[in-house]
């Protein structure tokens, strides 16, 4: 299965993957990691603009999505490594 940079044309498939992931997390006892609309389309477009959003595809259809960002974790409450 090839991995490639995501494009805006992948957004519908990406959001379907996210919704499926949220359902799996909730069913597994983790309903709060991705609350509400997070991550949303704007977040993925921003990740794409930085060249950090990727999809794994089969038959040219995205099956998984991930963001590979190098640097500090911007989430509140998570310390940067090495501090």
């Amino acid at each position: 299965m090839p991995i490639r940079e995501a494009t805006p044309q992948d957004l519908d498939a990406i959001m379907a993957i996210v919704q499926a992931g949220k359902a799996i997390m909730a069913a597994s006892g983790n309903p709060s990691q991705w609350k509400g609309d997070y991550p949303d389309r704007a977040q993925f477009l921003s990740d794409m603009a930085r060249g950090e959003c990727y999809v794994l595809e089969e038959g040219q259809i995205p099956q998984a999505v991930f963001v590979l960002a190098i640097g500090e974790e911007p989430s509140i409450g998570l310390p940067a490594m090495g501090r």
Side-chain angles (χ1 to χ4, degrees), residues 64-80:
V65 59
F66 65 95
V67 173
L68 177 61
I70 307 300
E72 290 187 20
E73 169 60 55
S75 297
I76 296 172
L78 295 178

Side-chain angles (χ1 to χ4, degrees), residues 36-59:
D37 291 336
Y38 181 83
D40 61 10
R41 295 172 79 88
Q43 179 66 56
F44 284 107
L45 284 171
S46 177
D47 296 336
M48 287 176 204
R50 289 189 309 277
E52 298 175 343
C53 187
Y54 296 85
V55 292
L56 179 141
E57 63 182 13
E58 182 174 21

